[in-house]
């Protein structure tokens, strides 16, 4: 089992969602890389994790939050 942690994907928040601007601002503010993860980022990591190249990875959390969530 592998868990992907994103910290929030801005492009998945509906444009008409109440408070969208505040949510986007908070996700962006907490990202240390001055950008947020995208659906493309998630897809690329998921493809890698599902591939034979990641065959040795088990029971792991993959952090693709652009630094918004710190691993301890």
């Amino acid at each position: 089992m592998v868990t992907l942690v994103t910290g929030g994907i801005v492009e998945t928040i509906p444009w008409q969602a109440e408070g969208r601007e505040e949510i986007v601002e908070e996700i962006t503010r907490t990202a240390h890389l001055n950008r947020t993860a995208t659906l493309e980022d998630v897809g690329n990591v998921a493809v890698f994790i599902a591939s034979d190249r990641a065959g040795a990875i088990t029971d792991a959390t993959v952090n693709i939050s652009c630094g918004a969530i710190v691993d301890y």
Side-chain angles (χ1 to χ4, degrees), residues 16-59:
Q16 71 273 30
E18 186 174 328
R20 184 184 192 283
E21 291 80 26
E22 292 81 11
I23 295 167
V24 169
E25 185 178 305
E26 182 64 16
I27 292 171
T28 304
R29 183 188 65 76
T30 60
H32 296 177
L33 297 181
N34 295 320
R35 74 175 193 89
T36 61
T38 64
L39 286 175
E40 183 176 5
D41 293 326
V42 174
N44 288 337
V45 173
V47 167
F48 170 73
I49 292 299
S51 75
D52 290 340
R53 291 182 176 195
I57 298 175
T58 60
D59 192 29

